[in-house]
Amino acid sequence: MQQGKAQLLARGDSKTIDHALRALLADVLGLSKARVAAFDAETELFGALPEFDSLAVANLLTGIEERLSVVIEDDDVEAEDFMTYGRLLAFANRKVRG
């Protein structure tokens, strides 16, 4: 199962990336899966959710690296990537697709 997931991620399957990112947000922020499932592209994150602080950003980046099998360099990260769910998803898709 894990190998199949890695193959889907390697191909840049957007639904798989979206699912993994939502699960990661629920875990890192301690939010319910139902709440995270309701996020749309315009849902504000950093600065809007009290749970989404600088420590959560660091944990989220580590989680993205682990769950999506990518490496995130310091210069890959822009503050705007954490402003909305849509921007965060776009960031994750860019990293997976290389």
Side-chain angles (χ1 to χ4, degrees):
M1 181 79 133
Q2 187 73 343
Q3 185 178 21
K5 182 178 175 182
Q7 289 172 343
L8 286 173
L9 289 173
R11 290 196 320 249
D13 182 293
S14 295
K15 288 182 183 180
T16 302
I17 295 167
D18 179 55
H19 179 74
L21 187 59
R22 287 178 189 274
L24 182 59
L25 281 168
D27 291 347
V28 169
L29 301 180
L31 300 175
S32 72
K33 291 184 184 204
R35 183 173 177 195
V36 176
F39 287 178
D40 64 21
E42 301 303 316
T43 300
E44 294 181 358
L45 300 176
F46 193 76
L49 297 175
E51 301 87 354
F52 207 125
D53 57 15
S54 58
L55 180 59
V57 168
N59 289 333
L60 184 63
L61 289 172
T62 300
I64 289 172
E65 287 183 322
E66 291 172 356
R67 292 190 190 191
L68 301 181
S69 301
V70 298
V71 175
I72 301 172
E73 303 293 339
D74 289 342
D75 59 347
D76 293 340
V77 181
E78 301 288 334
E80 292 81 19
D81 294 327
F82 302 98
M83 300 310 292
T84 66
Y85 181 73
R87 287 179 177 240
L88 184 60
L89 182 57
F91 171 77
N93 276 295
R94 279 193 315 271
K95 291 307 302 173
V96 169
R97 293 188 175 123

